[in-house]
Amino acid sequence: MEVEHMTEKKVNYKVRYTGGDMPDIKHGKIYQCVAEWYDEDGDLDTYSVIDETGESYLYDEDQIEKVE
């Protein structure tokens, strides 16, 4: 089994969750993003977002949009 190596970049900005409602995160709600995770090719893969649990969890980049 091949293990993917990810690189973490610490950030601090607001994002909107655009995926479907789940118990720990709600569609359209604004959350704090605390890190971006990049794959071994340097492409953005996931975001660390502080969700409804108050903890940071990873969400796919296609479910998150930055809020200006």
Side-chain angles (χ1 to χ4, degrees):
M1 181 168 97
E2 187 175 324
V3 177
E4 184 176 4
H5 294 282
M6 302 286 286
T7 303
E8 178 185 22
K9 177 185 175 191
K10 298 284 188 187
V11 298
N12 184 21
Y13 55 79
K14 303 283 187 192
V15 295
R16 178 177 290 110
Y17 178 69
T18 60
D21 276 351
M22 296 189 295
D24 295 337
I25 197 163
K26 306 296 179 199
H27 176 82
K29 191 166 177 184
I30 305 289
Y31 295 94
Q32 190 68 33
C33 181
V34 296
E36 299 170 342
W37 289 88
Y38 293 86
D39 64 18
E40 38 194 43
D41 294 328
D43 296 323
L44 181 60
D45 185 76
T46 52
Y47 291 92
S48 290
V49 175
I50 298 175
D51 63 16
E52 300 293 326
T53 67
E55 300 291 324
S56 173
Y57 287 95
L58 296 178
Y59 293 96
D60 290 338
E61 61 88 20
D62 64 348
Q63 298 175 320
I64 299 293
E65 67 181 19
K66 282 186 179 183
V67 177
E68 296 295 323

